[in-house]
């Protein structure tokens, strides 16, 4: 991992990933190459088709100012949600699908694409792709899950305060999620253990049975909640504190996440998102008890794309400027969790600890099989109850499954199940996180989990 000079814009060869590309395609002016050879081979392997399309789009975009499209998209967002919410039976004691009629849920914040791709908003082919039944169903599920998320987290934000037990809060919000989803696994419900990582712990902490830790007056708590509907996951997190001295840290991280969301878009390089996040995050300093600390990005944490019943689907969205995978881009119809983590008084780097609570089937390796009867039994119970979603011992206790310690050890040793230990910066440091789930729609970007709160 090497960081790159902030000032210089980097162009990468589309063919061989060389970071010193200096030749630009003269027609579309979008593709860069390090040599004529690379350019020619890329032309043959697909750029020929893309190039004309890009050039035509660019031309068309010249006659439609960005502000005009921005306004159109904003208008649609306001109109759509006003309509949907006008017949809303506002009652969080009933399932969300009974609060809204005809399976139409509020949409997330709609934002136009930022470059010449803005014209996709009015492009008939893009609209056609968007109308496909599959995509519409995905979007419907995502919006329903997002509405569940907003209502469940509103409950949590009201309840969470110093003195409260974390286990009661996470179990409370999880039961709220199940209730608002109005369905049983695998149709919908909690998508992963509710994170409530405290202070130097940045992620992957949830209480195990018998852990009655309470919130302290000076605690900084990251609540990370997952909701899914038919496997379509909304992954969104926020940070709470009760001592105002931590507010600037929260603000820095919230702004950094918003910078990442703003940069995200169709064909955007994941590298560029990391760069945008880091720039905003590191522009902040926090004064704590008379000492000024710079806010650091936690360099080894990142956002990710989301698949069906799969919280990570292969792409990672860095939160710092890194040279890896510079040609990986966001593509149409993909869902992403844009999340950033900031740290003060720490290294901006997290390590694993050994008090495990999160476990998940290793879905990258469906060629592996449990070695004996006990591990086969546990593996089947995991599959039946969680599929490839992440689970924790509390969830097993809830459905009365006694986890055989030996069986779990076998599954972990054979890499059939992976543990996800808490990730922590230095003792005495403070970390914060904000996260939203977005969709790269064919016509525009939708920030699904956006609410009035964050
Ligand atoms: Mn999350
Ligand atoms: Mn996430």
């Amino acid at each position: 991992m090497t960081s790159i000079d902030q000032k210089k814009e980097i162009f990468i060869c589309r063919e061989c990933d060389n970071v010193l590309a200096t030749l630009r395609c003269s027609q579309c002016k979008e593709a860069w190459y390090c040599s004529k050879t690379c350019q020619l081979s890329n032309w043959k392997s697909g750029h020929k088709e893309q190039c004309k399309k890009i050039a035509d789009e660019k031309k068309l975009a010249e006659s439609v100012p960005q502000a005009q499209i921005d306004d159109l998209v904003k208008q649609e967002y306001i109109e759509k949600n006003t309509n949907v919410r006008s017949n809303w039976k506002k009652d969080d004691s009933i399932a969300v699908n009974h609060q809204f009629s005809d399976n139409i849920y509020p949409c997330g914040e709609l934002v136009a694409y930022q470059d010449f791709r803005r014209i996709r908003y009015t492009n008939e082919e893009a609209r056609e792709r968007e109308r496909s039944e599959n995509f519409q169903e995905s979007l419907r599920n995502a919006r329903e899950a997002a509405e569940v998320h907003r209502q469940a987290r509103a409950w949590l934000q009201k309840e969470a305060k110093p003195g409260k037990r974390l286990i009661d809060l996470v179990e409370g919000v999880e039961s709220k999620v199940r209730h608002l989803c109005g369905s049983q696994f695998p149709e919908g419900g909690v998508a992963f253990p509710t994170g409530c990582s405290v202070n130097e712990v940045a992620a992957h902490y949830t209480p195990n049975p018998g852990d009655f830790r309470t919130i302290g007056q000076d605690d900084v708590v990251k609540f990370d909640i997952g909701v899914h509907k038919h496997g379509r996951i909304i992954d969104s997190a926020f940070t709470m504190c009760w001592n105002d001295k931590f507010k600037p840290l929260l603000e820095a991280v919230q702004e950094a996440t918003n910078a990442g969301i703003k940069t995200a878009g169709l064909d955007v390089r994941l590298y560029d998102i990391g760069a945008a996040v880091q720039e905003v995050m590191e522009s902040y300093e926090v004064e704590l008890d008379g000492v000024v600390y710079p806010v650091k990005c936690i360099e080894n944490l990142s956002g990710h794309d989301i698949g069906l019943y799969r919280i990570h689907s292969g792409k990672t969205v860095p939160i710092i400027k890194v040279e890896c995978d510079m040609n990986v881009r966001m593509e149409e119809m993909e869902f992403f969790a844009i999340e950033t983590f900031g740290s003060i008084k720490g290294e901006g780097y997290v390590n694993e600890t050994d008090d495990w609570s999160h476990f998940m089937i290793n879905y990258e390796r469906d060629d592996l099989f449990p070695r004996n009867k006990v591990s086969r039994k546990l593996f089947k119970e995991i599959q039946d109850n969680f599929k490839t979603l992440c689970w924790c011992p509390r969830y097993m206790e809830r459905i009365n499954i006694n986890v055989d310690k030996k069986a779990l050890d076998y599954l972990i040793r054979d890499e059939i199940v992976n543990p996800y230990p808490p990730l922590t910066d230095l003792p005495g440091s403070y970390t914060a996180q904000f996260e939203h789930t977005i969709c790269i729609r064919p016509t525009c970007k939708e920030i699904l989990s956006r609410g009035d709160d964050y």
Side-chain angles (χ1 to χ4, degrees):
M1 242 189 264
T2 329
S3 70
I4 294 162
D5 179 6
Q6 298 249 343
K7 306 281 174 299
K8 207 166 66 194
E9 200 176 343
I10 300 285
F11 299 104
I12 304 112
C13 178
R14 285 237 180 183
E15 185 64 16
C16 73
D17 288 0
N18 187 330
V19 292
L20 296 169
T22 50
L23 283 174
R24 176 154 75 160
C25 174
S26 61
Q27 186 173 230
C28 71
K29 300 196 167 56
E30 280 292 297
W32 289 79
Y33 303 99
C34 66
S35 67
K36 276 272 162 207
T37 323
C38 275
Q39 181 167 14
L40 192 63
S41 114
N42 193 247
W43 180 260
K44 287 181 185 156
S45 69
H47 188 62
K48 188 180 171 184
E49 286 78 40
Q50 291 169 0
C51 183
K52 197 178 171 317
K53 233 181 118 189
I54 296 172
D56 288 349
E57 266 189 340
K58 280 192 152 179
K59 208 156 181 194
L60 197 58
E62 277 169 23
S63 60
V64 197
Q66 181 77 44
Q68 192 182 321
I69 301 281
D70 285 348
D71 282 351
L72 280 176
V73 176
K74 209 173 278 169
Q75 239 169 53
E76 184 194 324
Y77 170 51
I78 293 168
E79 276 168 28
K80 251 197 184 136
N81 274 1
T82 315
N83 283 340
V84 173
R85 297 231 186 241
S86 67
N87 290 316
W88 177 23
K89 202 168 161 210
K90 198 175 175 180
D91 177 2
D92 74 353
S93 70
I94 55 174
V96 158
N97 62 5
H98 295 301
Q99 297 178 36
F100 296 91
S101 48
D102 306 324
N103 270 327
I104 302 170
Y105 304 99
C107 66
E109 184 189 5
L110 303 181
V111 182
Y113 290 126
Q114 287 302 304
D115 52 12
F116 65 91
R117 293 167 191 88
R118 62 180 175 270
I119 59 145
R120 294 286 172 91
Y121 186 67
T122 50
N123 178 287
E124 200 35 55
E125 282 170 40
R127 289 182 165 255
E128 190 59 40
R129 286 196 295 283
E130 199 157 272
R131 279 193 290 267
S132 82
E133 190 38 49
N134 270 348
F135 183 66
Q136 284 304 312
E137 196 194 320
S138 272
L139 213 48
R140 210 162 37 236
N141 287 329
R143 286 173 178 168
E144 185 181 348
E147 184 60 24
V148 169
H149 198 288
R150 279 187 289 270
Q151 294 188 21
R153 79 193 187 217
W155 176 87
L156 182 60
Q157 286 161 358
K158 220 169 59 227
E159 292 295 316
K161 49 179 82 80
K164 287 274 178 99
R165 302 203 305 198
L166 286 169
I167 197 165
D168 297 335
L169 293 170
V170 297
E171 294 202 324
V173 80
E174 285 159 0
S175 95
K176 199 90 197 149
V177 165
R178 291 185 191 104
H179 192 77
L180 287 164
C181 277
S183 50
Q184 294 290 315
F185 189 83
E187 281 82 39
V190 176
F192 52 76
T194 305
C196 54
S197 308
V198 183
N199 300 339
E200 73 271 24
V201 183
H204 298 169
Y205 168 76
T206 201
N208 279 330
D211 174 352
F212 297 125
R213 177 176 188 160
T214 57
I215 297 180
Q217 189 64 46
D218 284 342
D219 279 348
V220 176
V221 186
K222 285 120 283 181
F223 288 109
D224 197 339
I225 307 166
V227 181
H228 82 95
K229 205 68 203 190
H230 298 284
R232 183 50 66 204
I233 302 169
I234 293 295
D235 178 7
S236 179
F238 55 93
T239 303
M240 290 179 81
C241 67
W242 296 267
N243 183 333
D244 283 351
K245 68 180 180 180
F246 296 113
K247 285 264 166 70
L249 170 65
L250 273 52
E251 188 193 325
V253 181
Q254 188 168 1
E255 285 310 311
T257 296
N258 279 333
I261 292 168
K262 193 172 173 203
T263 308
L266 193 56
D267 297 334
V268 167
R269 297 185 301 189
L270 300 180
Y271 159 84
D272 290 311
I273 298 177
V277 166
Q278 185 171 25
E279 196 180 328
V280 171
M281 187 82 82
E282 295 185 351
S283 70
Y284 280 84
E285 289 178 329
V286 175
E287 196 195 314
L288 214 58
D289 308 321
V291 186
V292 175
Y293 299 97
V295 180
K296 292 178 192 164
C297 285
I298 300 184
E299 62 176 86
N300 56 339
L301 291 175
S302 57
H304 47 93
D305 63 342
I306 305 174
L308 270 187
Y309 293 102
R310 293 179 176 211
I311 190 66
H312 276 236
S313 194
K315 293 183 180 177
T316 59
V317 186
I319 59 175
I320 55 161
K321 242 176 152 157
V322 276
E323 257 187 46
C324 57
D325 293 341
M326 289 183 82
N327 265 335
V328 183
R329 290 162 195 269
M330 296 187 146
E331 293 169 58
E332 215 173 81
M333 305 201 188
E334 285 180 332
F335 290 78
F336 283 91
I338 305 295
E339 59 187 304
T340 77
F341 294 82
S343 173
I344 51 169
K345 295 180 78 173
E347 286 186 311
Y349 189 91
V350 287
N351 289 298
E352 298 184 345
T353 59
D354 51 14
D355 37 351
W356 298 350
S357 58
H358 288 48
F359 301 90
M360 189 166 70
I361 285 179
N362 179 2
Y363 49 72
E364 307 286 321
R365 294 292 304 271
D366 52 11
D367 57 322
L368 301 173
F369 298 97
R371 61 164 89 179
N372 55 24
K373 207 172 152 195
V374 277
S375 56
R376 243 187 329 269
K377 178 168 173 278
L378 178 60
F379 184 60
K380 189 172 182 313
E381 283 170 334
I382 296 170
Q383 279 183 316
D384 290 350
N385 289 288
F386 309 106
K387 286 198 182 192
T388 47
L389 294 176
C390 194
W391 55 275
C392 62
R394 285 190 292 105
Y395 294 180
M396 287 297 196
E397 196 181 74
R398 192 182 154 262
I399 53 177
N400 294 316
I401 288 176
N402 205 349
V403 179
D404 185 302
K405 182 102 186 40
K406 243 197 176 123
L408 184 56
D409 279 348
Y410 285 138
L411 292 177
I412 291 171
R413 217 177 310 155
D414 294 340
E415 291 176 38
I416 296 168
V417 166
N418 287 330
Y420 293 85
L423 300 168
T424 176
D425 203 329
L426 297 179
S429 65
Y430 295 94
T431 63
Q433 172 201 19
F434 279 88
E435 175 178 31
H436 274 298
T437 296
I438 68 169
C439 179
I440 304 300
R441 285 171 48 175
T443 58
C444 66
K445 163 169 79 182
E446 180 163 344
I447 305 152
L448 289 152
S449 48
R450 182 72 85 199
D452 295 334
D453 48 351
Y454 67 93

